Amino acid sequence: EVQLLESGGGLVQPGGSLRLSCAASGFTFSRYDMNWVRQSPGEGLEWVSAISTGGSDTDYADFAKGRFTVSRDNSKNTLYLQMNSLRAEDTAIYYCAGEDDYNDANWFDPWGQGTLVTVSS
Amino acid sequence: QSALTQPHSASGSPGQSVTISCTGTSSDVGAYNFVSWYQQHPGKAPKLMIYDVSKRPSGVPDRFSGSKSGNTASLTISGLQADDEADYYCCSHAGSSYVFGTGTKVTVL
């Protein structure tokens, strides 16, 4: 079964840091570009970051540049998002999602179930 | 990058059709044939419904169809069913990034 399982979310104070993980199983993780997408409570989806299959290329939304770092460990089939200098507006469910690079995909499938990050004092 | 514009809501009776628009710019929707659509039920992760403007993944009913003209993409749901009631988001490639739509809540009357 294809599965992405996020973890690492929780309550953090403004200015704090958090590291999210996304464990992949049931498919060839190293064949997929990977992304983080977030959704603030009651709001829409927002793309956060992407990383290439080998990890050499990364992209970020403007709000994430300089504060968030995406990385991956293909030997562990795991994607990461290091988030620093967190703000209240970063409060959201964070989803990881894959893009099948083998098929030159420009869409997100599969998705994880999400992990909630709450930034509050 | 500004979010793509979608109507806040759309509705139809069972068996009817509903079309959702997704308006972007010449830098995203108009520039690439890489528009995808996602269905999201409350408390659930998004699910891919359409990719590359009009292609359906395996397992998605042919009641769902997509199209694009200029800077506007559209999703049409034909033969509405109760389970189609959900939020729908468009998404477009935008160079080195992606941009999502504002989301449309579809209600089956």
Side-chain angles (χ1 to χ4, degrees), chain A:
Chain A
E1 179 191 5
V2 172
Q3 191 171 18
L4 291 171
L5 188 63
E6 301 94 335
S7 60
L11 176 64
V12 61
Q13 292 188 339
S17 298
L18 214 53
R19 189 197 198 199
L20 306 183
S21 299
C22 169
S25 60
F27 65 101
T28 307
F29 179 70
S30 60
R31 199 178 89 169
Y32 281 66
D33 294 334
M34 294 299 297
N35 293 260
W36 288 98
V37 176
R38 73 181 186 181
Q39 186 170 34
S40 300
E43 301 295 323
L45 301 171
E46 185 174 39
W47 177 79
V48 176
S49 180
I51 187 168
S52 59
T53 53
S56 59
D57 295 321
T58 58
D59 291 299
Y60 299 92
D62 286 345
F63 65 81
K65 289 177 181 176
R67 299 191 301 131
F68 294 2
T69 302
V70 62
S71 61
R72 65 191 296 164
D73 185 337
N74 286 345
S75 69
K76 296 182 178 179
N77 289 342
T78 303
L79 171 73
Y80 304 100
L81 185 68
Q82 177 68 42
M83 301 187 295
N84 300 328
S85 303
L86 284 163
R87 309 163 179 163
E89 53 265 37
D90 295 318
T91 294
I93 296 172
Y94 285 74
Y95 296 98
C96 59
E99 284 177 85
D100 188 352
D101 185 63
Y102 185 79
N103 287 307
D104 201 23
N106 288 279
W107 60 87
F108 305 124
D109 185 48
W111 291 72
Q113 88 294 341
T115 187
L116 177 62
V117 172
T118 303
V119 184
S120 175
S121 55

Side-chain angles (χ1 to χ4, degrees), chain A residues 35 37 39 43-47 50 59-62 95 99 104-109 111-114, chain B residues 1 34 36 38 40 43-48 50-52 57 89 91 93 96-102:
Chain A
N35 293 260
V37 176
Q39 186 170 34
E43 301 295 323
L45 301 171
E46 185 174 39
W47 177 79
D59 291 299
Y60 299 92
D62 286 345
Y95 296 98
E99 284 177 85
D104 201 23
N106 288 279
W107 60 87
F108 305 124
D109 185 48
W111 291 72
Q113 88 294 341
Chain B
Q1 193 79 38
F34 298 142
S36 51
Y38 302 87
Q40 187 180 35
K44 301 295 186 181
K47 174 187 175 183
L48 176 69
I50 294 287
Y51 67 96
D52 288 354
Y89 294 91
C91 181
H93 190 68
S96 59
S97 64
Y98 283 94
V99 58
F100 281 92
T102 50

Side-chain angles (χ1 to χ4, degrees), chain B residues 18-62:
Chain B
V18 64
T19 296
I20 304 166
S21 62
C22 168
T23 301
T25 69
S26 57
S27 297
D28 39 62
V29 175
Y32 307 95
N33 287 323
F34 298 142
V35 176
S36 51
W37 289 88
Y38 302 87
Q39 176 192 66
Q40 187 180 35
H41 286 110
K44 301 295 186 181
K47 174 187 175 183
L48 176 69
M49 303 303 285
I50 294 287
Y51 67 96
D52 288 354
V53 175
S54 60
K55 299 176 182 177
R56 275 188 315 276
S58 173
V60 172
D62 59 6

